[in-house]
Amino acid sequence: MPSPPLSPLDLLNVRASLSDEERLVQDSVARMVDEKVLPIIAGAFEEHRFPRELVPELAAMGLLGSSLQGYGCAGLNAVASGLICQELERGDSALRSFVSVQSSLCMYPIHVYGTELQKTKYLPPMAHGEIIGCFGLTEPHGGSDPANMKTHAKRKGGDWVINGAKMWITNAPIAHLCVVWAMTENGIHGFLVERGTPGFTASEIHHKFSLRASATGALYFDEVVVPDENRLPGVSGLKGPLSCLTQARYGIAWGVIGAAQACLSQLIDYTKSRVLFGRPLAATQLIQVRLAEMARGITTAQLLALQLGRLKDQGELQPVQVSLAKWNNVRMSLDVARDCRDMLGGAGISAEYAPIRHMLNLESVITYEGTEAVHQLSVGRELTGLAAF
Ligand code: TGC
Ligand code: FAD
C-alpha cells in the first residue's frame, strides 16, 4: 500500500495528534480566515487600518478569552487556543495581536487577579467584543526593562492618582479599557482605567511599516484618579505583568507558524509555475533546498508548540520554556518570510503576495513581548543561574 500523501505544511502530521475538538476549532478558524480575512487583509495593511469589522466575527466564534473559564468565555484547552493563534496569524499578525492583547493581556489578568465585581463587569462584554482592551507596560525610555518603571500611582484617600506614559501600545487608539501597570510605594500594581477618565488620553502612532493592520498608540496619564476598586488586588510586583506576557508569548509561539505556512504555501505554488532557464524554478536544487529548509523550520516549530501546549494543559509549563519557543518560532518565521520574499524576485515587493506583509509584521513580533535578546538571555539565565540582561 502506498503511503498517504504528506501535507507540505505539516510534514510530521502533527494534526494526527490533535483531539477531535482541537481539529474542529482549527478548521472553523481556518475557514473564517479564508473567507473573511484573506480577501481584505492586504488592503487593510496598505490603508494602515485595523479591520474592526472582523471583531464581531471573532467574538461570535468564541476567540476572545478562548482559554478562560466562565464569564462568557469558551474555556478551550491550551492547544486549541494555540491553533486559533496559528490560523489567525496565517491571515495576518495584526489579527493575532488583537486577540492576544484582548485575551492574554487584558482578560487574563482580570480573570486571575481581579475581584468578582471586576470580572462580572468586564469579562462578558470583552468576550463579546463590546469592550476592547489594551495593556500598558512599555514606557518610552525602554521596554526591555519594565522593572525600571516611571509611571506611578499614589494613594489619595480611597483613590489612586496615576501619572506617566506608555508607548507602543497595541489597541490603544481603539480601546475602551486599559490595564495599566504602575509603580506604587508597595511595588508594581495593575489598574483598570476606562476611556474617558479625566486626564487619560491615547494617541495613534502613524507611519508604521509593520503591523499596519493593527492600531498602535501611546497612553498618557496626567493626574488620573481611579478608585481602589479599579486596582487588581490579586498580584503585586513584576510577576503580575510577566505572567500575562507568558500567556501571550505562548500564543505567539503558535501564531507565527501560521505566518510561515502562508509564505511557504504561496512559494511552493509560485516556484512550480514560474519557468526560468527552460524549467520550473521549483525544479532547481537551490530552490528546493530553500523550500526544504522552510519545511524543516516549520515542522520543528510545530512540535515545539505542541509540546508547549501539552505542558500548559498539564499545568507544568514554565516561563523559560515559553521564552525558548517564542525565540525559536519567531526567528524561524521571520527567516522564512524574508527568504520567500526573495524567491519571488521583483514580485516579492508587491502586496499582491503575502511574504512581504508577513515579513514586515514579523519585525514587530520579534521585538514585542520580549525581544529576541531578552528571550535568549532568559534561556541563558536558566542554563547558568546568572542573569546577564
Ligand atoms: P524575573 O526574575 O524573571 O521575574 C520577576 C518576578 O516575576 C515572576 N514571574 C512570574 N510569575 C508568574 N508567572 C510568570 N509567568 C512569571 N514570570 C516571571 C518571577 O518568579 C519573579 O517573582 P519574584 O517573586 O521572585 O519576584 O524578572 P526580571 O526582572 O529578572 O526579568 C527580566 C526580563 C528582562 C526577563 C523581563 O523584564 C522581561 O521579560 N522584559 C521584557 C519585557 C516585555 O516583554 N515587554 C512586553 C510588553 S507587552 C507587549 O509587547 C505586547 S505586544 C502585544 C501584541 O500586539 O501582541
Ligand atoms: P529596548 O528595550 O530599548 O531595546 C532595544 C534593543 O536593545 C533591542 O534589540 C533589545 O534586544 C536590546 N537589548 C535590551 N536590553 C539588552 C541587554 N541587556 N543585552 C543585550 N541587548 C539588549 N508594549 C506594551 O506594553 N503593550 C503593548 O500592547 C505593546 N504592543 C506593541 C506593538 C508593537 C507594534 C510594537 C513594535 C511594540 C509593542 N509593545 C507593547 C512594546 C514592546 O514590548 C517593546 O517594543 C519591547 O519590549 C522592546 O522595548 P523597546 O522598544 O523599548 O526596546
Side-chain angles (χ1 to χ4, degrees), residues 96-97 144 146 170 238-239 242-243 246 249 319 368-370 381:
R96 197 268 310 135
S97 262
S144 296
T170 300
L238 205 52
K239 66 172 171 260
L242 289 187
S243 63
T246 298
R249 291 164 176 173
Y368 67 32
E369 297 276 4
R381 176 173 65 178

Side-chain angles (χ1 to χ4, degrees), residues 48 167-169 173 203-208 214-218:
H48 210 313
M167 186 64 180
W168 296 113
I169 306 303
S203 66
E204 178 150 14
I205 296 174
H206 299 283
H207 309 298
K208 289 181 298 168
S214 171
T216 315

Side-chain angles (χ1 to χ4, degrees), residues 326-339:
K326 197 258 180 188
W327 160 27
N328 182 78
N329 291 11
V330 180
R331 167 55 62 187
M332 174 283 294
S333 191
L334 179 57
D335 288 347
V336 164
R338 284 176 178 164
D339 208 25

Side-chain angles (χ1 to χ4, degrees), residues 151-163 182-187 189-191 223-233:
T151 299
H152 55 83
K154 286 213 167 72
R155 195 77 205 233
K156 190 173 172 195
D159 294 332
W160 292 89
V161 184
I162 305 174
N163 279 286
M183 190 62 83
T184 74
E185 59 183 14
N186 299 314
H189 277 267
F191 296 88
E223 300 287 315
V224 174
V225 179
V226 293
D228 189 47
E229 69 222 34
N230 283 32
R231 186 175 56 88
L232 295 172

Side-chain angles (χ1 to χ4, degrees), residues 93-94 96-101 105 108 113 135-138 143-147 168-171 211 214 236-249 252 317-320 323 364-365 367-371 374-375 377-378 381 387 389:
S93 301
R96 197 268 310 135
S97 262
F98 175 81
V99 170
S100 289
V101 169
L105 298 183
Y108 173 83
Y113 304 126
F135 175 91
L137 179 64
T138 303
S144 296
D145 182 17
W168 296 113
I169 306 303
T170 300
N171 294 349
L211 282 184
S214 171
S236 65
L238 205 52
K239 66 172 171 260
L242 289 187
S243 63
C244 304
L245 293 181
T246 298
Q247 308 302 311
R249 291 164 176 173
I252 291 173
L317 187 63
Q318 298 195 28
V320 71
S323 280
S364 283
V365 181
T367 292
Y368 67 32
E369 297 276 4
T371 65
V374 159
H375 293 295
L377 294 173
S378 294
R381 176 173 65 178
F389 299 103

